Amino acid sequence: MNELLDLNDEVRDALGRGAPIVALESTIISHGMPYPRNAETALRVETVVRDAGAVPATIAIIDGRLKAGLSPEQIKLLGERGQAVAKVSRRDVARIVAAGADGATTVSATMLIAAMAGIRVFATGGIGGVHRGAERTMDISADLEELGRTDVAVVCAGAKSILDIPRTLEYLETKGVPVVVYRGDEFPAFYTSSSGLRAELRMDSVDEIAAMLAAKWRLGLAGGAVIANPIPAEFEMPVDTINAAINTALREAEAAGVRGKDVTPFLLARVKDLTGGDSLESNVALVMNNAKLAAELASALVRV
Ligand code: PSU
Ligand code: MN
């Protein structure tokens, strides 16, 4: 185990027993949702993972130490401090550790810390991807590179259409990342179960997904996988409402000259405000749904 990585007691015990573990990210807490729903949701997600028979490992950097497994107090603090906590993707990890600072980890940094800890399954809401207009801006999330190199399966509700979803899928294909849609025929667009893009690989059981992941890693094929879990129908947003909010948010970001790592948090916050908070309810519901599937998948992986 890396000397800069700390496991909490629950995670250390689970690793020792070979029990199923689900990694959870912390940027979704600090930058993805408003306080206090962010902290409440993060704590509820951990409960969902436990109820489904796995151990949660929420990942962050605290006082310059990589953490797999946080205390409820640490989760609450990340939620309360919100955007004041650094958003940490792969390139930021070293500077935050060197400074002895705190960081909320994105999908990319969470994957790399999970892999260091020996955790293979990770649940979140949505992954980063190729941004709309990337042909001009080159704005492509580090999450996609990480999926191409780090052995962690990421259970998510697809990608938001703040992104260019067709190009995101092309990029994942280029990087050799399997994209599985769980019990659906279209790649899901986070707030909606459909995106108009056909699922190239549909699987209907966690055992089937676990068998594929085990084969991938036994073959020495480095890198992760996207397990896209469509939002349950009762929590879907009306397509027109969400698209209108996304288009407004994109125009505002352009007009305000938002760049780099601020783009995604800006868009997420504006979409939430423009939909009067309805999107937040969908967001919370789909995260719970993903946590449950991830716990089942982690258990299935222990069996193979
Ligand atoms: N998309 C969401 N919710 C989120 C994020 C993305 O629907 O909270 C966060 C995740 O932490 C993801 C990060 O890894 O944003 C991607 O940021 P960027 O686009 O700057 O790579
Ligand atoms: Mn970016």
Side-chain angles (χ1 to χ4, degrees):
M1 197 67 62
N2 192 287
E3 62 181 76
L4 295 167
L5 172 63
D6 296 328
L7 310 176
N8 71 3
D9 291 346
E10 192 183 9
V11 171
R12 185 179 311 103
D13 170 71
L15 278 169
R17 288 186 291 123
I21 306 178
V22 174
L24 300 162
E25 64 155 308
S26 44
T27 294
I28 192 174
I29 308 176
S30 60
H31 292 69
M33 288 183 194
Y35 184 77
R37 284 307 288 284
N38 53 8
E40 275 164 34
T41 302
L43 293 170
R44 266 180 62 208
V45 170
E46 290 204 335
T47 303
V48 168
V49 170
R50 286 192 193 97
D51 290 350
V55 167
T58 301
I59 287 179
I61 305 179
I62 310 277
D63 296 331
R65 304 280 310 171
L66 310 184
K67 302 283 183 189
L70 297 183
S71 67
E73 292 69 34
Q74 288 169 324
I75 288 176
K76 278 180 208 144
L77 204 62
L78 286 174
E80 224 171 82
R81 291 176 54 210
Q83 310 241 354
V85 182
K87 173 184 164 189
V88 173
S89 71
R90 169 177 276 268
R91 74 164 178 187
D92 307 299
V93 172
R95 79 172 165 88
I96 295 293
V97 167
D102 297 340
T105 50
T106 64
V107 169
S108 69
T110 303
M111 284 179 76
L112 82 87
I113 294 170
M116 282 169 80
I119 302 169
R120 294 298 184 108
V121 178
F122 164 19
T124 188
I127 54 167
V130 178
H131 280 261
R132 296 209 216 165
E135 63 274 26
R136 284 179 290 110
T137 61
M138 294 265 291
D139 190 351
I140 301 172
S141 175
D143 294 354
L144 300 185
E145 292 292 322
E146 203 65 42
L147 280 159
R149 67 192 283 183
T150 299
D151 299 0
V152 173
V154 180
V155 179
C156 62
K160 287 198 174 107
S161 52
I162 57 171
L163 300 171
D164 184 328
I165 300 177
R167 283 190 171 93
T168 298
L169 293 175
E170 290 293 348
Y171 203 93
L172 289 167
E173 183 184 356
T174 301
K175 291 286 164 185
V177 179
V179 176
V180 176
V181 179
Y182 182 67
R183 297 185 180 171
D185 292 317
E186 284 189 35
F187 184 76
F190 196 92
Y191 296 115
T192 55
S193 60
S194 60
S195 61
L197 293 158
R198 193 173 54 85
E200 290 190 26
L201 180 58
R202 170 184 172 142
M203 291 189 180
D204 286 12
S205 80
V206 287
D207 289 318
E208 195 182 1
I209 301 171
M212 191 234 359
L213 292 172
K216 181 183 198 295
W217 293 327
R218 270 189 207 129
L219 288 162
L221 295 173
V226 174
I227 314 301
N229 188 26
I231 183 172
E234 64 268 38
F235 299 112
E236 279 188 276
M237 297 278 296
V239 181
D240 294 344
T241 312
I242 201 70
N243 284 344
I246 285 171
N247 288 328
T248 304
L250 285 166
R251 273 197 307 275
E252 289 179 4
E254 180 83 34
V258 182
R259 292 278 180 279
K261 69 198 291 183
D262 297 332
V263 172
T264 298
F266 178 93
L267 293 172
L268 296 178
R270 287 304 293 143
V271 168
K272 193 221 81 187
D273 290 344
L274 289 161
T275 52
D278 286 356
S279 66
L280 182 58
E281 298 312 316
S282 296
N283 199 341
V284 170
L286 67 82
V287 171
M288 302 301 163
N289 191 47
N290 296 343
K292 179 162 178 288
L293 179 62
E296 290 164 2
L297 177 58
S299 302
L301 258 180
V302 166
R303 291 193 296 269
V304 290

